[in-house]
Every structure is written in C-alpha cells, then in structure tokens.
Amino acid sequence: MKVAIVLGTSNGDGNTRKLSDKIKLATDATVFDLSDYNISFYDYLHENKNDDFLPLIHELSVFDHIVFASPVYWYSMSAQLKVFFDRLSDLLTIEQNLGRKLKGKSCSVISTGFNADVPSCFFEPFKLTANYLNLIYKVDLYCCIDSEFSVLEKEVSLFVRGIA
Ligand SMILES: Cc1cc2nc3c(=O)[nH]c(=O)nc-3n(C[C@H](O)[C@H](O)[C@H](O)COP(=O)(O)O)c2cc1C
C-alpha cells in the first residue's frame, strides 16, 4: 500500500514532523510538507487554480492512503492544513474528474499537542470531510508532547496496523 503524509505545521522540523517521520519509517510513506507548496485560500472565482494545489492532488492521486498530519493549534487543525481542506472544494466544482480519483482511498490523522488529551472536536472535521468526499476514515493518533516520542512505539505500531 502506498502511503502519503500531508503535513501542515508552522514548524517543519517540529513535533508533528517528528511523529510523521516515525510513521514514514514504519510505512515507507512519502511526506508532503504543505509549507513547500504555494497554496492560497479558497477562491470562489478560482483565480488561484494555477497555484500548487491541483498539482499536489495529482501527486496524491497515485497513493492508496493519505495520512493528514497536524499539530493542535487552538483546538483545531493547523491553518496550513485548513487551507488545503478548503481547497478540496475545487475538486467538487472545477476539477471533478480529479476529485473522483480520490474516491475510495483511505485516510487517517496524526496529531501532536501540549495537552494530555486531544479535544473530541479536533478529529470531527477530518471524519466528516472524509465521509463527504467518500474517503474511508481509518484511524487517528494523538501524541502529547510531554510523552517522549521514543516511548510511543506501541501507539505508532497500533496506528500502522490500523491503516493497513
Ligand atoms: C498557535 C498555537 C496554538 C496551540 N494550541 C494548542 C491547543 O489548543 N492544544 C494543545 O494541546 N496544544 C496547543 N499548542 C501546542 C502544540 O500543539 C504543540 O506544541 C505541538 O506539538 C506543536 O507541533 P509542531 O511542532 O508541529 O508545531 C499550540 C501551539 C501553538 C503554536
């Protein structure tokens, strides 16, 4: 199974990247850091259709499973990932054929945060969006940054089994 990790964080070398790298190691995934792409806010007039969003979706369309990776920023996904999610609307309007290529793929979410627990509202937009877009939502993993990443092997291997 070909696994892609779409990483949205303000720190390309931070906690969420470190967790992503653990999943990458375990699944041979390819990491797409949204900070490497020029993706602008959703535009009702689609005047931004030549930015990096559609080429990135083309790249992702060859993968079987997409892991969305985001820190918890104010109880929500990162702004980088939210902009990406807003742009998924392009696949329902001007790029429906490309959008169809995502249908039936599976997805999951990994996240890091300061608090011991992640608020239940955090994963809801991912689950609801996956359902709306006919993606199969498999599993999620939250890691509190207090816990040493080195002791997370059990959680990581459970997650990896969950996406298979
Ligand atoms: C703007 C901002 C908002 C944050 N909000 C939360 C929060 O609501 N809940 C939480 O547990 N941690 C919060 N944190 C802590 C981060 O989630 C945590 O440090 C995370 O591991 C950072 O990941 P990163 O290195 O990929 O940015 C916040 C951090 C920042 C910078």
Side-chain angles (χ1 to χ4, degrees), residues 13-47:
D13 197 26
N15 298 321
T16 315
R17 175 74 201 211
K18 290 191 179 86
L19 182 59
S20 298
D21 284 345
K22 283 195 169 288
I23 304 299
K24 175 188 158 110
L25 205 63
T27 61
D28 200 25
T30 305
V31 178
F32 297 87
D33 184 342
L34 292 174
S35 297
D36 295 334
Y37 295 82
N38 172 31
I39 298 176
S40 58
F41 299 139
Y42 179 74
D43 177 0
Y44 281 95
L45 300 178
H46 306 294
E47 286 177 351

Side-chain angles (χ1 to χ4, degrees), residues 99-111:
R100 277 184 206 105
K101 291 190 180 167
L102 296 187
K103 279 187 185 164
K105 294 186 189 297
S106 57
C107 68
S108 57
V109 180
I110 58 174
S111 179

Side-chain angles (χ1 to χ4, degrees), residues 9 11 14-17 71-75 112-115 142 145:
T9 172
N11 186 352
N15 298 321
T16 315
R17 175 74 201 211
V72 180
Y73 288 160
W74 292 109
Y75 316 105
T112 67
F114 174 77
N115 291 326
Y142 172 76
I145 55 169

Side-chain angles (χ1 to χ4, degrees), residues 6 32 34 36-43 46 48-61 66 68 80-96 98-99 102 129 133:
V6 176
F32 297 87
L34 292 174
D36 295 334
Y37 295 82
N38 172 31
I39 298 176
S40 58
F41 299 139
Y42 179 74
D43 177 0
H46 306 294
N48 56 357
K49 66 182 176 207
N50 292 320
D51 71 7
D52 292 341
F53 176 72
L54 294 173
L56 175 57
I57 295 294
H58 271 288
E59 285 195 76
L60 293 174
S61 70
I66 302 171
F68 297 112
Q80 289 82 355
L81 202 55
K82 181 60 167 63
V83 170
F84 176 88
F85 267 61
D86 284 358
R87 290 296 298 281
L88 292 172
S89 305
D90 289 1
L91 305 177
L92 304 169
T93 50
I94 53 166
E95 286 291 340
Q96 292 183 11
L98 183 56
L102 296 187
T129 305
L133 297 176

Side-chain angles (χ1 to χ4, degrees), residues 123-163:
F123 291 117
E124 281 303 299
F126 294 101
K127 290 178 186 166
L128 293 167
T129 305
N131 186 46
Y132 194 88
L133 297 176
N134 291 306
L135 295 167
I136 301 157
Y137 189 93
K138 289 243 169 146
V139 67
D140 40 58
L141 172 65
Y142 172 76
C143 296
C144 166
I145 55 169
D146 269 0
S147 52
E148 278 293 320
F149 280 141
S150 56
V151 298
L152 285 173
E153 301 310 327
K154 197 171 135 214
E155 285 86 345
V156 167
S157 75
L158 261 177
F159 174 86
V160 170
R161 255 184 277 153
I163 70 174

